[in-house]
Amino acid sequence: MFSTQGFSTRRGRGPRARRLAGLVAIVASAAVVATACSSSGGKPDDSAGGGNVGNAGTGELTIAMITHEVPGDSFWDLVRKGAEMAAKKDNVKLVYSSDPEAPNQANLVQSAIDSKVDGIAVTLAKPDAMAPAVRKALDAGIPVVAFNSGFDNWKQMGVQQYFGQDETIAGRAVGERLTREGRKNVLCVIQEQGQVALESRCAGVKQGFTGGTYQVLYVNSKDMPSVEATMTAKLQQDPSIDTVVTLGAPIAQTAVQSKGNAGSNTEIVTFDTNAALVPLIEGGQVKWAVDQQPYLQGYLAVDSLWLYLTNGNTIGGGNAVLTGPAFIDSSNISKVAAYAKAGTR
């Protein structure tokens, strides 16, 4: 920093004084330019986590995200982080709420309607129960997008866009891979009976698996000690089971415990990942996982509504935008681990 103290201010300053005064002016101009650049460039704020973002510069919108999240399920933490990142970028006020019971989730949609939100992003795990609330939102002129659950139902419900994976196709890919790997007795564990996405996954596994015996086991994810005990008992009862397919990372983690309790040699594969699952894949306790990219689902659900509300855009050309399936195994787990550590995979 330059100081002008002691510089002459009289007319007819000498050449040295004029040169110094000119240098001060140049430095001052550079400082102004640097300040202007730092207000719109430089290192963006990444306080929301998940990477650096700018700001859309549009007026604030309010978007409600309403899910069937089960308390404590780390999958939904990733969904929410993606939604929050998009909301930060788009200058959106995100109102997040959830309830695993479909009637209660429908009531949350009604509350969002009553609050006159600008848009609604919703999961459709129980489409029949959610349909009346979705229709009320649409009748109120509120655009609705669906994500994660309801692949087979979103379009007929009048929902504008869908972000997620085709669970039947994902399940079929799992079954086909198990056939190629020479599996002979597959157990598919469903943690919530009647949940369309979970039922579709196991149905797809059954379609794709042609290598031997296929079974389904229902458990209750709201009681994890019971889940562990039920899977342990099943593996003890039928030691010929050589593969357990779980439909969520927490259930896969519990299956690892059940396998140990039962003294089983079964292999465990799963749908969905979280940070705690990464070391299990790295160590071989879980052979591989199917990733539907929950962070991306949350992000796209919010961002698509912002694009529609501010510019009339839609994504997918009237078809679902698929975020999966992708396999995570020993060949790519190291790359995924870095993102999981950052809290986005």
Side-chain angles (χ1 to χ4, degrees):
M1 180 176 178
F2 286 87
S3 172
T4 59
Q5 186 175 358
F7 285 1
S8 172
T9 59
R10 294 174 297 175
R11 288 179 180 270
R13 291 177 292 182
R16 181 174 181 273
R18 286 195 297 271
R19 284 196 302 271
L20 286 171
L23 182 58
V24 170
I26 291 170
V27 172
S29 297
V32 170
V33 172
T35 301
C37 288
S38 66
S39 68
S40 60
K43 182 183 178 185
D45 177 22
D46 62 355
S47 58
N52 298 332
V53 296
N55 187 283
T58 53
E60 185 180 74
L61 297 168
T62 299
I63 291 176
M65 175 168 278
I66 303 160
T67 77
H68 64 282
E69 174 182 351
V70 176
D73 190 328
S74 54
F75 177 93
W76 294 102
D77 294 339
L78 298 175
V79 170
R80 190 167 182 171
K81 282 187 177 182
E84 288 172 346
M85 178 55 67
K88 180 181 178 183
K89 176 183 73 70
D90 295 337
N91 193 26
V92 163
K93 178 182 178 182
L94 181 68
V95 182
Y96 185 96
S97 60
S98 65
D99 199 294
E101 301 298 330
N104 296 336
Q105 189 189 6
N107 288 337
L108 292 173
V109 173
Q110 183 61 56
S111 295
I113 297 169
D114 296 340
S115 298
K116 294 181 170 54
V117 299
D118 296 295
I120 295 175
V122 65
T123 60
L124 303 172
K126 302 287 178 65
D128 291 343
M130 295 299 295
V134 169
R135 173 47 54 190
K136 288 180 182 178
L138 296 173
D139 289 344
I142 300 172
V144 178
V145 302
F147 67 101
N148 180 260
S149 298
F151 178 88
D152 294 323
N153 306 90
W154 66 278
K155 194 175 291 189
Q156 67 193 53
M157 291 171 66
V159 171
Q160 190 177 67
Q161 300 170 85
Y162 181 89
F163 306 95
Q165 69 181 0
D166 182 328
E167 302 293 2
T168 303
I169 289 177
R172 193 178 301 132
V174 168
E176 291 169 352
R177 179 163 179 166
L178 293 175
T179 300
R180 291 194 303 271
E181 292 178 350
R183 303 289 94 193
K184 299 300 181 185
N185 191 346
V186 172
L187 178 69
C188 196
V189 181
I190 299 178
Q191 69 264 30
E192 183 183 348
Q193 188 167 6
Q195 209 267 51
V196 291
L198 303 181
E199 298 281 359
S200 294
R201 287 179 179 181
C202 278
V205 173
K206 183 178 181 181
Q207 292 174 19
F209 179 64
T210 58
T213 303
Y214 167 87
Q215 307 177 58
V216 171
L217 178 67
Y218 286 99
V219 295
N220 180 5
S221 61
K222 297 176 185 177
D223 184 356
M224 293 305 286
S226 173
V227 172
E228 181 180 346
T230 302
M231 286 195 290
T232 297
K234 181 64 177 178
L235 292 174
Q236 289 173 333
Q237 172 195 343
D238 188 354
S240 69
I241 295 171
D242 59 17
T243 307
V244 174
V245 179
T246 64
L247 307 184
I251 307 299
Q253 294 164 236
T254 303
V256 171
Q257 298 172 355
S258 296
K259 173 182 175 178
N261 296 341
S264 172
N265 292 320
T266 190
E267 288 188 343
I268 298 167
V269 301
T270 191
F271 287 77
D272 299 339
T273 63
N274 61 17
L277 194 71
V278 168
L280 296 180
I281 296 176
E282 291 175 324
Q285 293 100 317
V286 175
K287 190 172 182 183
W288 42 262
V290 177
D291 184 21
Q292 62 172 307
Q293 302 185 97
Y295 180 94
L296 185 60
Q297 291 178 6
Y299 186 97
L300 290 176
V302 171
D303 202 43
S304 66
L305 282 168
W306 174 78
L307 285 167
Y308 178 76
L309 290 163
T310 61
N311 204 46
N313 297 124
T314 58
I315 305 172
N319 295 315
V321 177
L322 299 182
T323 63
F327 285 103
I328 297 175
D329 54 26
S330 58
S331 68
N332 59 2
I333 187 61
S334 59
K335 184 175 182 179
V336 173
Y339 297 126
K341 187 176 181 180
T344 58
R345 288 293 290 270

